[in-house]
Amino acid sequence: MDRYVSVKDIEQAALSLLPKGARDYYKSGATDEQTLAENKLAFQRLRIRPKCLVGVERCDLRTRALGSEVSMPVGISPTAMQRMAHPEGELANARAAQEAGTIFTLSTIATSSIEEVAKAAPTATKWFQLYIYNDREVTRNLVRRAEIAGFKAIALTVDTPLFGIRRADVRNKFTLPPHLRLANFDGHLSTKIQSTDGGSGLNKYVENLFDKSLTWDEVKWLKSITSLPIIAKGVLRGDDAVKAIEAGCSAILVSNHGARQLDGVPASIEALPEIVEAVKGYNVEVYLDGGVLTGTDVFKAIALGAKMVFVGRPALWGLTVGGQAGVKRMLDIFRTELEYTLQIAGTPTIADITRDMVRHESAYSKL
Amino acid sequence: MDRYVSVKDIEQAALSLLPKGARDYYKSGATDEQTLAENKLAFQRLRIRPKCLVGVERCDLRTRALGSEVSMPVGISPTAMQRMAHPEGELANARAAQEAGTIFTLSTIATSSIEEVAKAAPTATKWFQLYIYNDREVTRNLVRRAEIAGFKAIALTVDTPLFGIRRADVRNKFTLPPHLRLANFDGHLSTKIQSTDGGSGLNKYVENLFDKSLTWDEVKWLKSITSLPIIAKGVLRGDDAVKAIEAGCSAILVSNHGARQLDGVPASIEALPEIVEAVKGYNVEVYLDGGVLTGTDVFKAIALGAKMVFVGRPALWGLTVGGQAGVKRMLDIFRTELEYTLQIAGTPTIADITRDMVRHESAYSKL
Amino acid sequence: MDRYVSVKDIEQAALSLLPKGARDYYKSGATDEQTLAENKLAFQRLRIRPKCLVGVERCDLRTRALGSEVSMPVGISPTAMQRMAHPEGELANARAAQEAGTIFTLSTIATSSIEEVAKAAPTATKWFQLYIYNDREVTRNLVRRAEIAGFKAIALTVDTPLFGIRRADVRNKFTLPPHLRLANFDGHLSTKIQSTDGGSGLNKYVENLFDKSLTWDEVKWLKSITSLPIIAKGVLRGDDAVKAIEAGCSAILVSNHGARQLDGVPASIEALPEIVEAVKGYNVEVYLDGGVLTGTDVFKAIALGAKMVFVGRPALWGLTVGGQAGVKRMLDIFRTELEYTLQIAGTPTIADITRDMVRHESAYSKL
Amino acid sequence: MDRYVSVKDIEQAALSLLPKGARDYYKSGATDEQTLAENKLAFQRLRIRPKCLVGVERCDLRTRALGSEVSMPVGISPTAMQRMAHPEGELANARAAQEAGTIFTLSTIATSSIEEVAKAAPTATKWFQLYIYNDREVTRNLVRRAEIAGFKAIALTVDTPLFGIRRADVRNKFTLPPHLRLANFDGHLSTKIQSTDGGSGLNKYVENLFDKSLTWDEVKWLKSITSLPIIAKGVLRGDDAVKAIEAGCSAILVSNHGARQLDGVPASIEALPEIVEAVKGYNVEVYLDGGVLTGTDVFKAIALGAKMVFVGRPALWGLTVGGQAGVKRMLDIFRTELEYTLQIAGTPTIADITRDMVRHESAYSKL
């Protein structure tokens, strides 16, 4: 794994290794993929203002999220169907997170089940990403199982009444390879994604099964069936963050769903300050995913108010190049880069990363 | 038609199919074509701010324009001489609009006549685009025939005292292929465009026949000869919108004529807010054409105050690749993309698309 | 000449025809040539706001400069040594200006003399560009001859204590081809440019002969020896424009010397508003050269306050492709493009082009 | 050397001559190298506003830094291990600075010793760049030797608790070629850099030996052991500049360490105004390095408040192409370009370069 010096190295290797169907599924964004590009470019428009000679001999990356300690503020975002990347899929991913001392978030539409993941990575901090199905019994069953299996939070996806248009999937008529299954639905729903003439099989799956009528009241129902804290995943507006909190959420994950839902929405790092501003005075945590590729990206998100960042595709690229070891390498690169960043920026602990450590590039045009 | 997944797909296919003369005529913009590019780029500078969990199970794209209901806020803008793209030209285009439940606008300089179009698409909502000819009897005749044929509005072009310089047409010495005719002038004026040594034959045609002395008083004359509502097509300034209204227009079509008249003018989506602001308090509708390529573009225009958008070139590309079916496919792509956009943006009906759903990217530089 | 549809067409043809030494001399800008590019790009950042239906049947491009009527507000800027482009050099250029009814400005370091030009284009409005030589008798002689030959103004270059670094000339060890001469110095100074080991021969020439100690007092001296109006050519700051006026200049030519003096200075169209603002209340005219390539560029400069624009390199490209006929074609293209622009913009005369016809693109980011 | 007309010419030649290990070491920036690019691009966003006719016959580039007169405000920044570029390394570089009448700054981790450099360039103004080692005796020894050898100032690097991640060095497992030594440590520490499996040998060296616990108090300790003035090298924030002054520093070198420490920090020319503003009222000098490539860059930095600029990589490129003569050529190009700039800008002396001579490009968007 030593040959991978940056997360981009891992990404490039993975893109050359994956079969077309899986590669396109993982890498695509919605329609014209402008937001996909902006998720990365927006980080480049932020400047870090390092402090000199502050004494950084005791550099410490640890932080806490919803009460759990993590070894660094970089966790694993949920992504679907990880066994397309590696035979051990979610299990390898979760084991790497456990090894790295950080959070693993399991997707509802995973190719490994809640119980399999819990067994594979028993001491990892695990969160469960939830889609609410039309069939509320199916939904309730998922939540109950996650709770029993020791998952520590529910990351409720709030931006997906249906899946966005990803043109490559439409062209490929995407479907889950036949040897894989949506493992969380054994005995409840079909675990296959049917091929369809009209385009992506996954979009059809979602259209048939997800509930489009959801409102913030759904959070109240969720709270009535679980004692786990609920994270609103997919918020891009300050007013929605407040609604999430008032409905009972404990945290906000600022996310544009990897730019896969609606093209033209803000980069997640662009949206972050508005949400942080809106939740001031509430006792909630704010996280971010989308476009995070380097240790300096992590630093910038934290300076703008995120408690943690999460990475989705980088874990898929890690899985592809080396299963658990590949994900671990990816996390190690983030850790190293973040460690260097904290020391050179003169902020030896996460708590030292205050708002004034980062400025938008436009501030440097005011001469 | 399934292979076309985006409007851009259709465009690319059409550009490879069309003969050079027609292709250049359809695709060109004025002189350096900066505005041609900006018409698209300006949409990319706008961000959509989606709302989560609002309940989108009853998504409805319908809206009304000048009293007619349309199935979605995307109609067909007038473009000239459509039989260069397909033997059925304007007839196929109008039929597709009828099939899709939206508005078809017929050009004065069409290769199918008012009556032919009315017969081909009897139940479509049809508007007639009008150029005012030096010979007012010719002009009056056009308006009267449109009225008799059941057209519902006159879209008066207000930005064309002469045609802009399109360099490819000058180089090609553009002329209408000999087997085609300007069908609205049978028995009145020449239906041919003469070739000329000095460049584009069409520019010469326009210079000979159009009236350059027009002022807003012309609208009053028009109103004296027809009871149809009049749309001012080609407005880019707030003060002109007010003049249009005061002269009796019922609607403003914000347009830079497909960037074909004067290079360096604003993108139409850039000009829209100024016009919307200027007409506040007046009972008029505002539309937009120019650079609309995706469902998110439509959404952005509506959020900034347009009641409908119109597409011109996309219909030509559709005609080229498949006649009526090609135009229908193009409209279906817009419909699907807009449907997805409304659901994911949390605005299930057109009326839900309020101003705060869109922000200029520069707003995200104010950290 | 018909094959040239744009000024850029002529430029491209000329660049392929010229020998390397002359081509590099004509086209180069100072050092990294950033301003050379910005001179053009800055025009693209301005938007024209056309007015509709104003009645443009009487379009008139005529204007006046320093009391002379010109057929359009586009004249010929001085450029050196035009016989490198065509055997008839300045004579052909001046004849084209005469034919087109506009102003020709002759360079001090021309390859045709004041008297030759006067004879070639007796009815043209001719201005004489002046460099002040260490030897004031030489300088006085130039001014007196221009006055006798019927030139109407002195365009005093104020931005050239020495010539800027044009790297290609340094590499080429530029020198005037041996069959040509600096025709204004017959019998006074050497009419040759000596080759030198240290780089451009022209830079050495200028360093030896030009007076670096010049101040605005020099204008007073000039006024004492001539009754011709004096234009300050090369001003880029408002305070300098005021100094020029107070020293007795009748007009300001906003110019960065074709981006040939100092890289990193503003594009001339960027600097124009500051100068126009500064001279408000004074009875002077403001002109511009630098980067003007199209009729819309001319329009933008006039909207921002220029009375006329001048073009230098375009005349050299015209000379190269066809002598007098090439320059005439270039001017005809400007005339046509400007005529179209005035009509489509709804400003049928030059006086109609008011400040509000143009806006900086950044104004469209304030949504 | 005459064939090199710009510093970029020298850079290009050097990059083609150097072996991969040294080339990558010299040219790399931290991680994604965004700041490496911005260091240059940020200069291009500044415009020079030249003044006309001010009398520039007595152009004088001389200035003073910490009491020493220099022939121009361009000195040599410290860079490590210069014998990788040329067998005479730091000696040739120092001799060129002496020949050019400007300052040479020697790196702690040089391949020539303090004493060797002093002997090679006895009359040059020499400064010593200091890293503080864990072993304070080693550090004290360096300072004492520099003082004895006649160095005039200590440039204390304040931005380097450890070395940044330069990916090429990691891939190359960078190490000092075996025939070279870190010459300042003969008899004190190892003079070799050990190769390591984990990436760059230099990073490991630094991690082992540099003191990460440094605070601004270290400056006080330094002042207790030397009477030389201390320059804080690597400051990018106004508040840090004030801390440096309060700790006893006599000057601030605004620098991002050649963009080699932390990617995403401001370009040094972007950071300069904030530091200049912060130190107003204190009796200190401010310098800059990073991205300076042309005479106009030097001018811009001085206009924004720098007393001098320093160049690091350009000297390495000069060494590579021609040892002392190559560095001399590089300095001569800067001198010539700066001379031209001062004359054409109408600021014949360094003191004439006031703040209003430069404006950010964004100021030209406020039409």
Side-chain angles (χ1 to χ4, degrees), chain A residues 31-32 34 38 45-46 158-159 161-165 167 170-171 197 203 207 212-216 234-237 240 261-266 270-271 273-274 304 355 360 362, chain B residues 2-9 43-57 293-294 296 300 336-337 339-341 343-345 356-357 359 361 364-367:
Chain A
T31 57
D32 284 324
Q34 189 198 341
E38 288 293 332
R45 295 193 283 263
L46 301 172
V158 297
D159 61 6
L162 80 174
F163 268 23
I165 300 172
R167 288 179 184 148
V170 178
R171 289 186 222 279
D197 281 350
N203 281 47
E207 219 174 303
K212 286 186 180 181
S213 71
L214 302 182
T215 67
W216 289 105
V235 170
L236 291 171
R237 299 171 58 114
D240 269 358
Q261 284 296 92
L262 187 58
D263 201 31
V265 301
E270 286 181 326
E274 167 179 350
L304 297 190
R355 182 64 187 77
H360 194 271
S362 62
Chain B
D2 275 18
R3 98 194 87 164
Y4 304 117
V5 166
S6 68
V7 175
K8 218 174 279 174
D9 287 352
F43 277 107
Q44 296 180 20
R45 295 192 283 263
L46 300 172
R47 301 273 192 272
I48 299 175
R49 303 174 63 235
K51 291 193 278 196
C52 299
L53 296 188
V54 299
V56 296
E57 69 280 18
L293 264 194
T294 65
T296 52
K300 290 169 180 178
T336 301
E337 289 184 355
E339 227 163 41
Y340 272 72
T341 302
Q343 293 181 71
I344 302 177
D356 82 313
M357 295 303 298
R359 229 181 236 169
E361 60 174 15
Y364 290 99
S365 304
K366 309 287 184 297
L367 288 185

Side-chain angles (χ1 to χ4, degrees), chain A residues 80-118:
Chain A
M81 303 177 281
Q82 299 176 1
R83 288 188 196 237
M84 297 195 304
H86 187 271
E88 295 173 24
E90 293 81 2
L91 307 188
N93 203 346
R95 282 192 205 108
Q98 176 174 288
E99 200 184 346
T102 192
I103 294 166
F104 174 77
T105 315
L106 180 68
S107 171
T108 289
I109 48 178
T111 43
S112 311
S113 71
I114 292 169
E115 293 76 14
E116 289 166 333
V117 167

Side-chain angles (χ1 to χ4, degrees), chain A residues 291-334:
Chain A
V292 178
L293 264 195
T294 64
T296 53
D297 293 343
V298 178
F299 184 94
K300 290 169 180 177
I302 292 175
L304 297 190
K307 184 86 173 134
M308 270 191 80
V309 306
F310 290 85
V311 294
R313 287 187 186 91
L316 294 170
W317 312 142
L319 275 183
T320 304
V321 303
Q324 177 179 347
V327 178
K328 182 61 170 36
R329 177 68 182 174
M330 179 275 292
L331 290 169
D332 285 346
I333 291 172
F334 271 113

Side-chain angles (χ1 to χ4, degrees), chain B residues 112-161:
Chain B
S112 310
S113 72
I114 292 169
E115 292 76 14
E116 288 166 333
V117 167
K119 189 171 162 200
T123 65
T125 299
K126 293 174 294 292
W127 292 355
F128 183 72
Q129 177 274 331
L130 181 70
Y131 287 122
I132 296 186
Y133 280 61
N134 286 320
D135 184 335
R136 283 301 191 283
E137 268 322 295
V138 165
T139 312
R140 185 196 300 264
N141 176 271
L142 290 168
V143 173
R144 193 181 314 128
R145 286 161 57 200
E147 202 164 341
I148 292 170
F151 283 64
K152 296 293 185 209
I154 300 294
L156 174 68
T157 295
V158 297
D159 60 6
T160 310

Side-chain angles (χ1 to χ4, degrees), chain A residues 275-292:
Chain A
I275 281 95
V276 168
E277 178 66 26
V279 306
K280 258 185 201 169
Y282 292 101
N283 182 25
V284 293
E285 297 182 351
V286 177
Y287 318 125
L288 171 141
D289 73 16
V292 178

Side-chain angles (χ1 to χ4, degrees), chain C residues 32 34 158 161 163 167 171 203 212-216 237 240 261 263-266 270 273-274 360 362, chain D residues 6 9 44 47-53 55-57 294 296 337 340 343-344 356-357 359 364-365 367:
Chain C
D32 285 323
Q34 189 197 340
V158 297
F163 268 24
R167 288 180 184 149
R171 288 187 223 279
N203 281 48
K212 285 185 180 181
S213 71
L214 303 181
T215 67
W216 288 104
R237 300 170 59 114
D240 269 358
Q261 285 297 91
D263 201 30
V265 302
E270 286 181 324
E274 167 180 350
H360 194 271
S362 63
Chain D
S6 68
D9 288 352
Q44 297 179 18
R47 301 274 193 273
I48 298 176
R49 306 175 61 235
K51 292 193 278 196
C52 300
L53 295 189
V56 296
E57 70 280 19
T294 65
T296 52
E337 289 185 354
Y340 273 71
Q343 294 182 69
I344 302 176
D356 82 311
M357 295 305 297
R359 229 180 236 170
Y364 290 99
S365 304
L367 289 184

Side-chain angles (χ1 to χ4, degrees), chain A residues 43-59:
Chain A
F43 277 108
Q44 297 179 19
R45 295 193 283 263
L46 301 172
R47 301 273 192 272
I48 299 176
R49 305 174 61 235
K51 292 193 278 195
C52 299
L53 296 189
V54 299
V56 296
E57 69 279 19
R58 273 186 293 274
C59 181

